[in-house]
Amino acid sequence: MPSDCPIVEMTSVLDREDSISVEELVDSISYVLLDNFVKLPVRASILSMAVTKDYIFVLAGSDAGVFKYDRKGKLIKKIISNDYSSLKLWIGADEFKELLYLNQEGGSEGTTEVYDYDGNYQGNIAELYNMPYHSQYVHRLNEKFLAAFSPWCMPLTDKNYFGGAVFSEKGEMVHQLNYFVPSDTLALCKVSYYSFTYQSDGSMLVWNNGGSGSPIVQPYTTLYKVTVDSIFPVYHLFNGNTRDKIDHVQGIGVSGNSLAIETDSSLYLCCYHPKAPHPCPTLCFMRYDIKNKVLQGVNYPPNGILGGYVNHLNGDIPIRFQYSFPLQKVYVSSISSGEIEQLRKSGYINANSDETLRSNKSGDNPILIYYHY
C-alpha cells in the first residue's frame, strides 16, 4: 500500500451520530412512479436497474425478466425473459453502443450476456468483444474501453482469471487488478465480491469486500479507482486487516443500500453496522473530509430498509442512494408501497410531501427516487 494512500478508519465512527448533509452531492429530488409493475409475477422485486437518456430498464426478480420503461415510468414492454436455468442478477447499460449487459449467475462459470435496447440477443461478452467468458459486471468507460470484474477467488496458478480489469474492444487486457489466492486454500473461498460505484468523472470506485468464508490473503479493505489509464489504490478503509472488521463493513456496491462517491472535497461511504440485526441491518453513512482528514458517521434509523440519512434538501423522506448513473447526472433508489406506508406511519410523509408519495397506497407500484446533480 503506498504510504500516501489515506487511511479512512471506518470502524471508528460506527456508533457516532454526526450531522451529515448531502447538499454537495444533490441539487434536487424528483419521483417517478413505475407503471404496471404490480402486474408482474408474485414476489417480483427490483433486482437491478439501468437509467439511460430515454429509458429505464428494470431487472425484476422471481424470474420476471427485464422491463423497458420511458423516463416518465410508463411501461413500454417486457424485452428479456429471466428463467432459473440462466438467472440474471444485474443489468448495466452501455449508452455509447446502446447495449445492455446482463450478469448471468454462475460465479466462475457465469458470463455477461449482451442485448440491444429492444431485447435482441447479441451474444455473450466473449463472442462480442473477445473478452474472457467469465467477465462479469461489465461497464463501458468510454467509446474504446470497458471494465469488467470476476466475483470469485481464483488460484494463483490460473492466469486466465482476473479480479478486475480494463479491456479494449478487441479484448486486450490493458490494466489488471488481481485478488488471487493460493490453490491450497481455494476450497475455503466461497466467493469474493467486487463492488463498485460509477463516478461523475467517468471513473469507478471499486472495493473487494471479501466474501463468505474467504481467508485474508489480500488486503480486501482497499478502495481502488478504475480509469482508462490505470487501476490504482486511493483509500485504505481500515488501519489493519482484521477479519472481524471486514466481515461486517461491506455494502459499497452494485445495488442495494450502497455507495462510494468521491468529490473534490469528500469521500462518502456506506456500510453495515457489525451489531446490526438480520435481516434488517442498521446502516452507517460516512463522510471523509479529504483536506482535513476528518471522518464523520451517522447510523441509519434501526428500522432497516426504511433507513436513510436526514433529508436536509427538501425535508422529505430519508435519503438512500442505491444506483449511480453519471451520464444522466443522477443517483437513484427505489421504494415500495409497503415502505411508503411505514414511512407515513412514522410521520415522514405528510401534507408537505411530494404528491407522488402522498398518493401512493398499499399495493401500488414502486416509486423511483431521482437525486439529480
Side-chain angles (χ1 to χ4, degrees), residues 94-106:
D94 180 345
E95 294 196 65
F96 294 95
K97 303 290 184 179
E98 294 195 347
L99 295 173
L100 299 173
Y101 300 127
L102 273 80
N103 183 59
Q104 180 183 324
E105 185 180 39

Side-chain angles (χ1 to χ4, degrees), residues 311-322:
N311 188 338
H312 296 290
L313 297 170
N314 62 7
D316 228 323
I317 62 175
I319 290 176
R320 183 183 65 195
F321 298 122
Q322 290 179 289

Side-chain angles (χ1 to χ4, degrees), residues 181-197:
V181 299
S183 58
D184 59 349
T185 62
L186 184 63
L188 300 176
C189 301
K190 297 180 181 178
V191 64
S192 181
Y193 297 103
Y194 274 84
S195 302
F196 47 87
T197 306

Side-chain angles (χ1 to χ4, degrees), residues 48-66:
S48 182
M49 73 174 70
V51 176
T52 69
K53 177 177 178 292
D54 298 313
Y55 304 110
I56 303 167
F57 297 97
V58 174
L59 172 59
S62 187
D63 74 350
V66 177

Side-chain angles (χ1 to χ4, degrees), residues 33 56 76 86 110 156 165 227 243 263 267 276 321 332:
L33 179 68
I56 303 167
I76 298 174
S86 60
L156 279 169
T227 71
R243 179 77 258 174
T263 67
L267 173 69
F321 298 122
V332 180

